[in-house]
Amino acid sequence: MQKRRLAENVVKPLRVLVVAPTSPIIGGQTVQAARLIEAFRSEPWLKADIQSINPSFFPGLQKIKYIRTALTSIRYIADLFRRIRHYDIIHVFSASYFSFLLAPTPAVLISKLFGKRTILNYHSGEARDHFLRWRRTAIPTVKLFDSVVTPSAYLVDVFKEFGIEARSIFNIVDLGRFCFRERKVLRPVFLSNRNFEAHYNVACTLRAFSRIQQVLPEAKLVVVGDGPEKAMLNSLAGELDLKNIEFVGRVSPEKM
């Protein structure tokens, strides 16, 4: 009897399923989801696991563009049905546009089916355009979530414009990755770390660096990233006659 009472008094850990992209996708959501899981697992009252929005299987078929999307979506939705019922809170990372439809939408609908509490962690500076273009679907879907968080006060204001209450929780920075190095001679070295997508406007960084280099010819710029604007950015660097600029391609968060 005493053992039974002790067992009843033990508080079960809160079970959290984080739904987010995972490797080989390299981006802010992947990094932040991994750091969030790590932080959650350090708390004894939490049990946290991750559900990938891009589960990997059938490597041969996943090289075929449209078949890859269809098979990944089927596997992802099947995983949600199988796993969500075992958790108390479903924490969903989200971008905008079509990826919002593919990942957060089925996650929140299936969570509601099982009566689970949900959090939307929205990461996209294109929120306003997303909601304007997808007003009939995106806004009602966001409002299904029990809570909405974003990494910036700017996005909180954007959500407010559309009648959605959100709160800002800034991105996690792992300070353990940084160490102090005393430098007697300070050199102007700049780092750009954005994928080569139009909405990130890496071209603006190159133009700004051109102005800097006119004053500080020894300045250096390291450009990290890849994407559809790669050729244009390399061409722009030539047009601006930039010196000491290095395009290094994709870099893993561990090496950043």
mmCIF file of all heavy atoms in Angstrom, residues 118-150:
data_model
loop_
_atom_site.group_PDB
_atom_site.id
_atom_site.type_symbol
_atom_site.label_atom_id
_atom_site.label_comp_id
_atom_site.label_asym_id
_atom_site.label_seq_id
_atom_site.Cartn_x
_atom_site.Cartn_y
_atom_site.Cartn_z
ATOM 1 N N THR A 118 -0.675 22.737 -28.113
ATOM 2 C CA THR A 118 0.258 22.995 -29.203
ATOM 3 C C THR A 118 0.908 24.377 -29.091
ATOM 4 O O THR A 118 0.295 25.330 -28.615
ATOM 5 C CB THR A 118 -0.456 22.911 -30.564
ATOM 6 O OG1 THR A 118 -1.603 23.780 -30.542
ATOM 7 C CG2 THR A 118 -0.893 21.493 -30.861
ATOM 8 N N ILE A 119 2.143 24.453 -29.566
ATOM 9 C CA ILE A 119 2.886 25.711 -29.644
ATOM 10 C C ILE A 119 3.413 25.848 -31.061
ATOM 11 O O ILE A 119 4.018 24.918 -31.600
ATOM 12 C CB ILE A 119 4.068 25.739 -28.658
ATOM 13 C CG1 ILE A 119 3.570 25.639 -27.217
ATOM 14 C CG2 ILE A 119 4.908 27.002 -28.843
ATOM 15 C CD1 ILE A 119 4.690 25.478 -26.200
ATOM 16 N N LEU A 120 3.199 27.020 -31.657
ATOM 17 C CA LEU A 120 3.773 27.319 -32.961
ATOM 18 C C LEU A 120 4.991 28.208 -32.763
ATOM 19 O O LEU A 120 4.897 29.284 -32.173
ATOM 20 C CB LEU A 120 2.754 28.039 -33.858
ATOM 21 C CG LEU A 120 3.289 28.494 -35.226
ATOM 22 C CD1 LEU A 120 3.622 27.282 -36.094
ATOM 23 C CD2 LEU A 120 2.287 29.395 -35.937
ATOM 24 N N ASN A 121 6.134 27.755 -33.248
ATOM 25 C CA ASN A 121 7.376 28.524 -33.174
ATOM 26 C C ASN A 121 7.680 28.999 -34.591
ATOM 27 O O ASN A 121 8.270 28.279 -35.391
ATOM 28 C CB ASN A 121 8.503 27.645 -32.625
ATOM 29 C CG ASN A 121 9.689 28.454 -32.146
ATOM 30 O OD1 ASN A 121 9.987 29.510 -32.698
ATOM 31 N ND2 ASN A 121 10.372 27.957 -31.133
ATOM 32 N N TYR A 122 7.271 30.237 -34.901
ATOM 33 C CA TYR A 122 7.277 30.733 -36.279
ATOM 34 C C TYR A 122 8.571 31.474 -36.585
ATOM 35 O O TYR A 122 8.895 32.473 -35.957
ATOM 36 C CB TYR A 122 6.079 31.651 -36.501
ATOM 37 C CG TYR A 122 5.809 32.011 -37.942
ATOM 38 C CD1 TYR A 122 4.892 31.303 -38.707
ATOM 39 C CD2 TYR A 122 6.465 33.085 -38.541
ATOM 40 C CE1 TYR A 122 4.632 31.648 -40.033
ATOM 41 C CE2 TYR A 122 6.220 33.434 -39.861
ATOM 42 C CZ TYR A 122 5.298 32.716 -40.595
ATOM 43 O OH TYR A 122 5.045 33.059 -41.907
ATOM 44 N N HIS A 123 9.308 30.981 -37.601
ATOM 45 C CA HIS A 123 10.586 31.580 -37.995
ATOM 46 C C HIS A 123 10.525 31.995 -39.461
ATOM 47 O O HIS A 123 10.885 31.221 -40.348
ATOM 48 C CB HIS A 123 11.725 30.569 -37.821
ATOM 49 C CG HIS A 123 12.129 30.330 -36.411
ATOM 50 N ND1 HIS A 123 13.392 30.633 -35.931
ATOM 51 C CD2 HIS A 123 11.445 29.821 -35.369
ATOM 52 C CE1 HIS A 123 13.466 30.322 -34.655
ATOM 53 N NE2 HIS A 123 12.294 29.816 -34.291
ATOM 54 N N SER A 124 10.095 33.193 -39.738
ATOM 55 C CA SER A 124 10.145 33.697 -41.111
ATOM 56 C C SER A 124 9.895 35.190 -41.122
ATOM 57 O O SER A 124 8.863 35.655 -40.609
ATOM 58 C CB SER A 124 9.109 32.997 -42.008
ATOM 59 O OG SER A 124 9.115 33.589 -43.299
ATOM 60 N N GLY A 125 10.817 35.926 -41.722
ATOM 61 C CA GLY A 125 10.631 37.366 -41.857
ATOM 62 C C GLY A 125 9.591 37.730 -42.889
ATOM 63 O O GLY A 125 9.239 38.900 -43.037
ATOM 64 N N GLU A 126 9.081 36.723 -43.611
ATOM 65 C CA GLU A 126 8.072 36.973 -44.641
ATOM 66 C C GLU A 126 6.655 36.736 -44.130
ATOM 67 O O GLU A 126 5.738 36.503 -44.924
ATOM 68 C CB GLU A 126 8.348 36.080 -45.838
ATOM 69 C CG GLU A 126 9.683 36.378 -46.524
ATOM 70 C CD GLU A 126 9.923 35.505 -47.731
ATOM 71 O OE1 GLU A 126 10.092 34.292 -47.532
ATOM 72 O OE2 GLU A 126 9.935 36.026 -48.846
ATOM 73 N N ALA A 127 6.472 36.826 -42.827
ATOM 74 C CA ALA A 127 5.161 36.533 -42.237
ATOM 75 C C ALA A 127 4.054 37.409 -42.808
ATOM 76 O O ALA A 127 2.967 36.922 -43.131
ATOM 77 C CB ALA A 127 5.237 36.707 -40.719
ATOM 78 N N ARG A 128 4.323 38.714 -42.950
ATOM 79 C CA ARG A 128 3.268 39.610 -43.441
ATOM 80 C C ARG A 128 2.821 39.217 -44.845
ATOM 81 O O ARG A 128 1.608 39.113 -45.121
ATOM 82 C CB ARG A 128 3.755 41.061 -43.428
ATOM 83 C CG ARG A 128 2.676 42.057 -43.893
ATOM 84 C CD ARG A 128 3.170 43.485 -43.898
ATOM 85 N NE ARG A 128 3.295 44.018 -42.550
ATOM 86 C CZ ARG A 128 4.452 44.241 -41.952
ATOM 87 N NH1 ARG A 128 5.589 43.980 -42.597
ATOM 88 N NH2 ARG A 128 4.489 44.727 -40.728
ATOM 89 N N ASP A 129 3.776 38.988 -45.730
ATOM 90 C CA ASP A 129 3.425 38.597 -47.091
ATOM 91 C C ASP A 129 2.754 37.226 -47.108
ATOM 92 O O ASP A 129 1.813 36.996 -47.879
ATOM 93 C CB ASP A 129 4.693 38.580 -47.957
ATOM 94 C CG ASP A 129 4.385 38.337 -49.418
ATOM 95 O OD1 ASP A 129 3.706 39.181 -50.031
ATOM 96 O OD2 ASP A 129 4.806 37.282 -49.953
ATOM 97 N N HIS A 130 3.219 36.327 -46.264
ATOM 98 C CA HIS A 130 2.613 34.997 -46.151
ATOM 99 C C HIS A 130 1.138 35.105 -45.793
ATOM 100 O O HIS A 130 0.271 34.495 -46.429
ATOM 101 C CB HIS A 130 3.369 34.192 -45.078
ATOM 102 C CG HIS A 130 2.796 32.841 -44.806
ATOM 103 N ND1 HIS A 130 2.998 32.175 -43.611
ATOM 104 C CD2 HIS A 130 2.014 32.026 -45.549
ATOM 105 C CE1 HIS A 130 2.368 31.025 -43.651
ATOM 106 N NE2 HIS A 130 1.770 30.897 -44.805
ATOM 107 N N PHE A 131 0.834 35.895 -44.772
ATOM 108 C CA PHE A 131 -0.552 36.023 -44.322
ATOM 109 C C PHE A 131 -1.425 36.770 -45.330
ATOM 110 O O PHE A 131 -2.614 36.477 -45.464
ATOM 111 C CB PHE A 131 -0.601 36.724 -42.965
ATOM 112 C CG PHE A 131 0.020 35.927 -41.849
ATOM 113 C CD1 PHE A 131 0.573 36.559 -40.750
ATOM 114 C CD2 PHE A 131 0.073 34.548 -41.903
ATOM 115 C CE1 PHE A 131 1.149 35.835 -39.718
ATOM 116 C CE2 PHE A 131 0.653 33.803 -40.890
ATOM 117 C CZ PHE A 131 1.194 34.450 -39.797
ATOM 118 N N LEU A 132 -0.857 37.722 -46.036
ATOM 119 C CA LEU A 132 -1.629 38.445 -47.046
ATOM 120 C C LEU A 132 -1.961 37.545 -48.228
ATOM 121 O O LEU A 132 -3.074 37.576 -48.757
ATOM 122 C CB LEU A 132 -0.852 39.675 -47.528
ATOM 123 C CG LEU A 132 -0.757 40.845 -46.538
ATOM 124 C CD1 LEU A 132 0.175 41.914 -47.072
ATOM 125 C CD2 LEU A 132 -2.131 41.435 -46.248
ATOM 126 N N ARG A 133 -0.998 36.738 -48.636
ATOM 127 C CA ARG A 133 -1.202 35.862 -49.795
ATOM 128 C C ARG A 133 -2.039 34.632 -49.457
ATOM 129 O O ARG A 133 -2.775 34.130 -50.300
ATOM 130 C CB ARG A 133 0.147 35.414 -50.360
ATOM 131 C CG ARG A 133 0.962 36.516 -51.032
ATOM 132 C CD ARG A 133 2.342 36.001 -51.428
ATOM 133 N NE ARG A 133 3.139 37.015 -52.073
ATOM 134 C CZ ARG A 133 3.217 37.195 -53.389
ATOM 135 N NH1 ARG A 133 2.513 36.409 -54.188
ATOM 136 N NH2 ARG A 133 3.980 38.138 -53.904
ATOM 137 N N TRP A 134 -1.884 34.115 -48.225
ATOM 138 C CA TRP A 134 -2.560 32.885 -47.823
ATOM 139 C C TRP A 134 -3.555 33.173 -46.691
ATOM 140 O O TRP A 134 -3.726 32.375 -45.786
ATOM 141 C CB TRP A 134 -1.539 31.836 -47.363
ATOM 142 C CG TRP A 134 -0.554 31.416 -48.406
ATOM 143 C CD1 TRP A 134 0.247 32.214 -49.170
ATOM 144 C CD2 TRP A 134 -0.262 30.079 -48.809
ATOM 145 N NE1 TRP A 134 1.031 31.467 -50.002
ATOM 146 C CE2 TRP A 134 0.750 30.151 -49.806
ATOM 147 C CE3 TRP A 134 -0.730 28.831 -48.404
ATOM 148 C CZ2 TRP A 134 1.271 29.018 -50.415
ATOM 149 C CZ3 TRP A 134 -0.190 27.692 -49.003
ATOM 150 C CH2 TRP A 134 0.787 27.796 -50.000
ATOM 151 N N ARG A 135 -4.211 34.313 -46.776
ATOM 152 C CA ARG A 135 -5.069 34.776 -45.678
ATOM 153 C C ARG A 135 -6.131 33.745 -45.288
ATOM 154 O O ARG A 135 -6.401 33.532 -44.106
ATOM 155 C CB ARG A 135 -5.742 36.092 -46.086
ATOM 156 C CG ARG A 135 -6.600 36.715 -44.997
ATOM 157 C CD ARG A 135 -7.295 37.975 -45.495
ATOM 158 N NE ARG A 135 -6.363 39.038 -45.763
ATOM 159 C CZ ARG A 135 -5.981 39.942 -44.859
ATOM 160 N NH1 ARG A 135 -6.475 39.876 -43.634
ATOM 161 N NH2 ARG A 135 -5.145 40.884 -45.182
ATOM 162 N N ARG A 136 -6.749 33.105 -46.245
ATOM 163 C CA ARG A 136 -7.876 32.206 -45.962
ATOM 164 C C ARG A 136 -7.446 30.898 -45.302
ATOM 165 O O ARG A 136 -8.279 30.227 -44.672
ATOM 166 C CB ARG A 136 -8.642 31.909 -47.254
ATOM 167 C CG ARG A 136 -9.344 33.128 -47.833
ATOM 168 C CD ARG A 136 -10.159 32.742 -49.060
ATOM 169 N NE ARG A 136 -10.862 33.890 -49.618
ATOM 170 C CZ ARG A 136 -11.640 33.846 -50.698
ATOM 171 N NH1 ARG A 136 -11.809 32.684 -51.334
ATOM 172 N NH2 ARG A 136 -12.235 34.928 -51.141
ATOM 173 N N THR A 137 -6.193 30.521 -45.446
ATOM 174 C CA THR A 137 -5.743 29.255 -44.866
ATOM 175 C C THR A 137 -4.728 29.455 -43.744
ATOM 176 O O THR A 137 -4.820 28.799 -42.703
ATOM 177 C CB THR A 137 -5.112 28.358 -45.954
ATOM 178 O OG1 THR A 137 -4.051 29.082 -46.611
ATOM 179 C CG2 THR A 137 -6.156 27.957 -46.981
ATOM 180 N N ALA A 138 -3.752 30.338 -43.947
ATOM 181 C CA ALA A 138 -2.668 30.490 -42.966
ATOM 182 C C ALA A 138 -3.165 31.033 -41.636
ATOM 183 O O ALA A 138 -2.838 30.494 -40.568
ATOM 184 C CB ALA A 138 -1.574 31.394 -43.529
ATOM 185 N N ILE A 139 -3.958 32.112 -41.670
ATOM 186 C CA ILE A 139 -4.395 32.746 -40.420
ATOM 187 C C ILE A 139 -5.282 31.807 -39.598
ATOM 188 O O ILE A 139 -5.058 31.637 -38.390
ATOM 189 C CB ILE A 139 -5.095 34.088 -40.706
ATOM 190 C CG1 ILE A 139 -4.094 35.064 -41.336
ATOM 191 C CG2 ILE A 139 -5.676 34.677 -39.426
ATOM 192 C CD1 ILE A 139 -4.688 36.386 -41.765
ATOM 193 N N PRO A 140 -6.312 31.167 -40.190
ATOM 194 C CA PRO A 140 -7.114 30.216 -39.396
ATOM 195 C C PRO A 140 -6.272 29.070 -38.829
ATOM 196 O O PRO A 140 -6.534 28.605 -37.710
ATOM 197 C CB PRO A 140 -8.152 29.694 -40.403
ATOM 198 C CG PRO A 140 -8.259 30.770 -41.428
ATOM 199 C CD PRO A 140 -6.873 31.340 -41.544
ATOM 200 N N THR A 141 -5.266 28.625 -39.587
ATOM 201 C CA THR A 141 -4.416 27.529 -39.106
ATOM 202 C C THR A 141 -3.588 27.978 -37.908
ATOM 203 O O THR A 141 -3.468 27.255 -36.916
ATOM 204 C CB THR A 141 -3.492 27.028 -40.224
ATOM 205 O OG1 THR A 141 -4.287 26.581 -41.327
ATOM 206 C CG2 THR A 141 -2.631 25.869 -39.723
ATOM 207 N N VAL A 142 -3.007 29.178 -37.995
ATOM 208 C CA VAL A 142 -2.215 29.706 -36.868
ATOM 209 C C VAL A 142 -3.078 29.819 -35.621
ATOM 210 O O VAL A 142 -2.626 29.511 -34.500
ATOM 211 C CB VAL A 142 -1.605 31.081 -37.229
ATOM 212 C CG1 VAL A 142 -0.969 31.717 -35.993
ATOM 213 C CG2 VAL A 142 -0.567 30.934 -38.324
ATOM 214 N N LYS A 143 -4.321 30.241 -35.792
ATOM 215 C CA LYS A 143 -5.207 30.431 -34.647
ATOM 216 C C LYS A 143 -5.626 29.110 -33.992
ATOM 217 O O LYS A 143 -6.190 29.121 -32.887
ATOM 218 C CB LYS A 143 -6.439 31.236 -35.074
ATOM 219 C CG LYS A 143 -6.125 32.699 -35.379
ATOM 220 C CD LYS A 143 -7.365 33.512 -35.720
ATOM 221 C CE LYS A 143 -7.017 34.980 -35.901
ATOM 222 N NZ LYS A 143 -8.206 35.801 -36.244
ATOM 223 N N LEU A 144 -5.356 27.981 -34.647
ATOM 224 C CA LEU A 144 -5.640 26.682 -34.030
ATOM 225 C C LEU A 144 -4.638 26.359 -32.923
ATOM 226 O O LEU A 144 -4.935 25.577 -32.017
ATOM 227 C CB LEU A 144 -5.593 25.577 -35.089
ATOM 228 C CG LEU A 144 -6.734 25.533 -36.118
ATOM 229 C CD1 LEU A 144 -6.454 24.448 -37.148
ATOM 230 C CD2 LEU A 144 -8.073 25.288 -35.438
ATOM 231 N N PHE A 145 -3.453 26.968 -32.994
ATOM 232 C CA PHE A 145 -2.425 26.694 -31.989
ATOM 233 C C PHE A 145 -2.793 27.367 -30.660
ATOM 234 O O PHE A 145 -3.367 28.457 -30.639
ATOM 235 C CB PHE A 145 -1.065 27.205 -32.466
ATOM 236 C CG PHE A 145 -0.424 26.344 -33.515
ATOM 237 C CD1 PHE A 145 -0.710 26.541 -34.861
ATOM 238 C CD2 PHE A 145 0.452 25.332 -33.156
ATOM 239 C CE1 PHE A 145 -0.119 25.747 -35.839
ATOM 240 C CE2 PHE A 145 1.049 24.535 -34.120
ATOM 241 C CZ PHE A 145 0.766 24.736 -35.462
ATOM 242 N N ASP A 146 -2.441 26.715 -29.564
ATOM 243 C CA ASP A 146 -2.743 27.263 -28.239
ATOM 244 C C ASP A 146 -1.841 28.436 -27.892
ATOM 245 O O ASP A 146 -2.221 29.312 -27.119
ATOM 246 C CB ASP A 146 -2.594 26.165 -27.177
ATOM 247 C CG ASP A 146 -3.609 25.052 -27.377
ATOM 248 O OD1 ASP A 146 -4.812 25.322 -27.220
ATOM 249 O OD2 ASP A 146 -3.204 23.928 -27.712
ATOM 250 N N SER A 147 -0.632 28.447 -28.464
ATOM 251 C CA SER A 147 0.303 29.540 -28.186
ATOM 252 C C SER A 147 1.199 29.732 -29.405
ATOM 253 O O SER A 147 1.502 28.775 -30.113
ATOM 254 C CB SER A 147 1.147 29.216 -26.952
ATOM 255 O OG SER A 147 2.017 30.284 -26.642
ATOM 256 N N VAL A 148 1.587 30.997 -29.633
ATOM 257 C CA VAL A 148 2.462 31.326 -30.754
ATOM 258 C C VAL A 148 3.678 32.071 -30.227
ATOM 259 O O VAL A 148 3.541 33.043 -29.481
ATOM 260 C CB VAL A 148 1.741 32.191 -31.809
ATOM 261 C CG1 VAL A 148 2.698 32.562 -32.946
ATOM 262 C CG2 VAL A 148 0.512 31.474 -32.352
ATOM 263 N N VAL A 149 4.870 31.613 -30.609
ATOM 264 C CA VAL A 149 6.099 32.306 -30.231
ATOM 265 C C VAL A 149 6.906 32.595 -31.489
ATOM 266 O O VAL A 149 6.805 31.887 -32.490
ATOM 267 C CB VAL A 149 6.949 31.498 -29.227
ATOM 268 C CG1 VAL A 149 6.193 31.271 -27.938
ATOM 269 C CG2 VAL A 149 7.391 30.174 -29.838
ATOM 270 N N THR A 150 7.684 33.661 -31.433
ATOM 271 C CA THR A 150 8.551 34.047 -32.539
ATOM 272 C C THR A 150 9.903 34.466 -31.960
ATOM 273 O O THR A 150 9.994 34.778 -30.767
ATOM 274 C CB THR A 150 7.975 35.234 -33.330
ATOM 275 O OG1 THR A 150 8.117 36.421 -32.547
ATOM 276 C CG2 THR A 150 6.497 35.013 -33.646
#
